[in-house]
Amino acid sequence: MHRMRPLWIRGLRLYRSGDPTAADDVGLWPGDEEREPLPHVRSRFRSVDDPECFALYSVRDVPLLGHAAQPMQLLPTEDHTLIVVREFRRVPLEASALALMIFTARVGAAARVIATLAHWAERAVSTYQPAYLLLAHSLEQPKVSALLTGVHERRALQWARACPFSVDLVLPEVGPLLDAAPEHYAYCPEEEALAALPRAVAPSAV
């Protein structure tokens, strides 16, 4: 007998604001446009250095029928299926700010970048006690890694911390392994989420 089981799929789409179709179907997969479920998590980020560049992170579950599931189709190069390396979540989740960083490894250095970030992430959880932390790499482009963090800024100030979360300690170690400087993205809620929720971070953000 076949049994249905959920499979959590995490996606990251990078796009520019000049592309009118880039964000219309974020979180959907080829052929899914007419089917549910919609993404459970959907968070939009804007590049700190290039305001025209956006990243949209999404999580949805896809039902698989036992072992009869078909292989998943890969998406274009700017769409990434994220493979989780480390994930930490506080329950209940209380975050006032989200941030995303994208690391692109040099040729042949992807495994070392992931290992370095994973080791640092374990220490960062103890040091900063973030509300949420996700470290993942791209299935389609293994040299691309993503670090997503959710923090409660007011609590950090109450604990007399100058910064609620910082990657400064790992940059000297991981920097020589990268093809370019890490890309920084700040949380940028979509208009409908911003209008419906009075707080800075939507419950469905992570």
Side-chain angles (χ1 to χ4, degrees), residues 94-164:
E94 296 181 7
S96 62
L98 293 179
L100 173 71
M101 289 188 70
I102 297 178
F103 302 83
T104 303
R106 291 190 290 103
V107 175
R112 292 175 60 192
V113 168
I114 285 294
T116 301
L117 292 175
H119 182 62
W120 167 82
E122 293 176 354
R123 298 186 311 235
V125 167
S126 299
T127 302
Y128 297 104
Q129 300 185 27
Y132 182 79
L133 182 146
L134 171 71
L135 173 63
H137 68 85
S138 169
L139 173 66
E140 294 81 5
Q141 298 187 52
K143 67 177 184 177
V144 175
S145 303
L147 176 68
L148 193 157
T149 59
V151 298
H152 199 294
E153 296 172 308
R154 181 175 298 177
R155 288 184 181 177
L157 293 176
Q158 291 173 346
W159 293 335
R161 289 179 182 159
C163 179

Side-chain angles (χ1 to χ4, degrees), residues 8 64 172:
W8 291 101
L64 295 182

Side-chain angles (χ1 to χ4, degrees), residues 7-115:
L7 173 67
W8 291 101
I9 302 294
R10 302 164 189 268
L12 181 67
R13 172 167 293 181
L14 305 178
Y15 67 97
R16 300 191 67 82
S17 59
D19 184 350
T21 63
D24 291 344
D25 61 346
V26 173
L28 301 180
W29 301 89
D32 283 349
E33 291 81 0
E34 299 178 357
R35 297 201 303 267
E36 295 289 348
L38 293 175
H40 291 282
V41 171
R42 183 176 168 116
S43 303
R44 187 178 68 166
F45 299 85
R46 184 196 294 266
S47 172
V48 173
D49 299 317
D50 184 354
E52 297 297 311
C53 186
F54 291 86
L56 206 147
Y57 169 72
S58 63
V59 180
R60 63 187 294 255
D61 65 86
V62 179
L64 295 182
L65 185 58
H67 298 288
Q70 298 298 318
M72 184 176 60
Q73 288 185 320
L74 298 185
L75 297 178
T77 56
E78 287 304 306
D79 286 298
H80 301 276
T81 308
L82 296 181
I83 307 300
V84 175
V85 178
R86 294 285 187 274
E87 185 173 27
F88 172 81
R89 177 190 298 269
R90 292 194 178 278
V91 179
L93 177 65
E94 296 181 7
S96 62
L98 293 179
L100 173 71
M101 289 188 70
I102 297 178
F103 302 83
T104 303
R106 291 190 290 103
V107 175
R112 292 175 60 192
V113 168
I114 285 294

